[in-house]
Amino acid sequence: MTPPPVASFSAHKNTILGNTVLYGATGGQLFAAGCAGERFAVRNSGALAVVEGVGAHACEYMTGGIVVVLGETGQNFGAGMSAGVAYILDLAGVFPGRCNTELVELQRIHHPDEIDVWRTITQWHGKMTRSRRVAQILAEWSRMQRVFWLVSPRDLSVNGQTTSRTACDYVDAHSYSAELSYK
């Protein structure tokens, strides 16, 4: 999903998706060059989504999947999140105050495999949407990768198995194609 190529506004500063998009999603991929409204990806259990900002209550009760937010979030991000992962670009340094950390933890991303997978997903977004935001992020990658947060559930055990995963786990498990077609 992308604004028309002749649009003169900055997509990452404008809403392109309404409220409750991906509510209860069980799979698939969504790439949107622009912001999503409130309650984005609530109860997501398997979708891969990349957006350029979200409103309040995003990723509530998420039980799987991957969400990448290449911009600001609203309040109460990740409340009740029990599985899945999210990556948040935090240029202003305000995300920790907007995230509900009752069940999730925030970490900077240091593992090279995790950085590679997350960069690949960001590149997919750029390919699918022609996002100017992605072009800027990739042009300044060494600086930008230091201001992303990884949001993941605290290590919760179910039958002795951990439910916390990384994007590497999902990309491997779901075989997201690096050769996404753009039409």
Side-chain angles (χ1 to χ4, degrees), residues 31 48 50 66 68 117-125 167 171:
F31 298 93
L48 164 65
V50 184
I66 305 167
V68 178
V117 167
W118 156 60
R119 181 180 176 142
T120 297
I121 292 169
T122 302
Q123 290 170 327
W124 292 347
H125 178 70
V171 170

Side-chain angles (χ1 to χ4, degrees), residues 49 58-59 62 65-69 77-78 81 83-89 95 105-107 109 114 118 148-153 165-167 170:
C59 299
M62 195 164 131
I66 305 167
V67 172
V68 178
V69 181
F77 186 95
M81 184 177 172
V85 293
Y87 299 89
I88 311 300
L89 176 64
F95 180 68
E105 59 188 10
L106 306 178
Q107 302 170 23
I109 306 157
E114 188 78 5
W118 156 60
F148 269 87
W149 289 102
L150 166 62
V151 181
S152 60
R165 292 189 162 190
T166 68
Y170 284 102

Side-chain angles (χ1 to χ4, degrees), residues 34 42 49-51 57-60 68 90 95 110 154 173:
V42 169
V50 184
V51 295
H57 312 291
C59 299
E60 274 186 324
V68 178
D90 186 19
F95 180 68
H110 300 291
R154 297 187 190 284

Side-chain angles (χ1 to χ4, degrees), residues 11-18 32-37 40 51-55 71-72:
H12 72 278
K13 295 180 180 177
N14 288 275
T15 301
I16 195 167
L17 300 169
C35 297
F40 179 76
V51 295
E52 300 183 358
V54 293
E72 293 187 22

Side-chain angles (χ1 to χ4, degrees), residues 16-33:
I16 195 167
L17 300 169
N19 295 334
T20 70
V21 171
L22 291 186
Y23 189 99
T26 59
Q29 301 169 347
L30 172 71
F31 298 93

